[in-house]
């Protein structure tokens, strides 16, 4: 076995030990196939008010411009599929990824540990960790590394566990053995396109971010346009519809990360309790949660929008 293969195998087994679902590795190089796609998406204003998407165009497509001397992109998946959902079927809904502790913290710690193990085993290796950070096209890297394919709903999908997981990367200055992409298994299915409450999947594989409920409920700072009134299918933070209907998510299995478990109240609060939520309850239920991103006022706005 050559050294690159040996190191890659070591990194993958360490990733498993740290609780990642899977790990795939690609050569750090310009993402040629993604460049025209990203350009078209931005030119069509599908990023709405997410101005940060326009920044660092070159860096986003080329990890060697992002991390000095980078040689490899290590992509990692971490499962967040919960064992339980919100109890009241009429309660405003929260995307499953935001049930527990903010994933940025949980994953950053794991990535740091992975880099440390690599340094202890292999020697002087430098790198940077990325978790859902704007400069890295994480789905494209994960697909290039054979962890899944990008489905018509624009999520990364796997035949084994569907799509309810976070994607993170470690970009390092060490040459490794690289993985091959897998084939697309969406076939003739259009379940996600048909089910999207706001018709945000404008064509297969293209999500207009500026029409997506996740964008309206999390990213948009201004008022939600009235033209979308009654279309949010009770989502108050994010939206899981295009994942919930995806047949590959039949194979999702509950995560085993205690930090991703929600505060019990999050699951038991009724529609009325959500409508009457106070700052105090918000701070308690969403302590350390990614939902804090909207702040209390943002979540109130979203809940009120569902009532109008
Ligand atoms: S997250 Fe919801 S609104 Fe956005 S594309 Fe998927 S189904 Fe549509
Ligand atoms: S719902 Fe169907 S078309 Fe959409 S991502 Fe899943 S398999 Fe692909």
């Amino acid at each position: 076995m050559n050294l690159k293969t040996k190191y890659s195998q070591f990194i993958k087994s360490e990733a498993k030990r740290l609780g990642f679902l899977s790990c795939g590795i690609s050569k750090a190089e310009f993402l040629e196939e993604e460049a025209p796609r990203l350009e078209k998406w931005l030119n069509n204003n599908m990023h709405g008010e997410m101005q940060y998407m326009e920044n660092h165009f070159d860096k986003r497509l080329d990890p060697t411009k992002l991390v000095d001397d980078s040689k490899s992109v290590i992509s990692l998946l971490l499962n967040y599929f919960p064992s339980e959902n919100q109890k009241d079927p009429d309660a405003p809904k929260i995307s499953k990824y935001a049930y527990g502790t903010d994933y940025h913290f949980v994953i950053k710690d794991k990535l740091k540990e992975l880099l440390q193990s690599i340094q202890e085993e292999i020697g002087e290796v430098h790198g940077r960790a990325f978790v859902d950070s704007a400069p890295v096209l994480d789905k494209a890297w994960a697909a290039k590394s054979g962890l899944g394919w990008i489905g018509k709903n624009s999520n990364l999908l796997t035949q084994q566990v569907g799509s309810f997981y976070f994607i993170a990367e470690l970009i390092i200055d060490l040459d490794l053995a690289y993985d091959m992409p897998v084939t697309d298994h969406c076939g003739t299915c259009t379940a996600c396109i048909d089910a999207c409450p706001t018709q945000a999947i404008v064509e297969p594989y293209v999500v207009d971010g500026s029409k997506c409920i996740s964008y309206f409920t999390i990213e948009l700072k201004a008022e939600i346009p009235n033209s979308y009134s009654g279309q949010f299918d009770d989502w108050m933070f994010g939206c899981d519809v295009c994942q919930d209907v995806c047949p590959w998510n039949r194979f999702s299995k509950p995560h085993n990360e205690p930090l991703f478990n929600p505060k019990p109240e999050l699951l038991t609060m009724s529609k009325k309790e959500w409508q009457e939520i106070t700052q105090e309850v918000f701070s308690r239920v969403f302590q350390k949660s990614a939902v804090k991103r909207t702040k209390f006022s943002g979540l109130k706005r979203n809940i009120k929008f569902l009532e109008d």
Side-chain angles (χ1 to χ4, degrees), residues 153 155 192 195-201 207-208 211-215 235 238-243:
N153 60 9
N155 283 299
C192 54
C196 174
T198 53
Q199 289 87 48
I201 310 176
V207 172
D208 184 342
K211 291 184 176 163
C212 175
I213 295 169
S214 289
Y215 163 73
W235 290 95
C239 165
D240 286 343
V241 171
C242 57
Q243 296 195 80

Side-chain angles (χ1 to χ4, degrees), residues 149 151-154 157 185-186 189-193 242 245-248:
W149 74 97
K152 292 180 193 174
N153 60 9
S154 96
L157 296 180
H185 293 277
C186 278
C189 175
T190 56
C192 54
I193 301 172
C242 57
V245 300
C246 177
W248 293 108

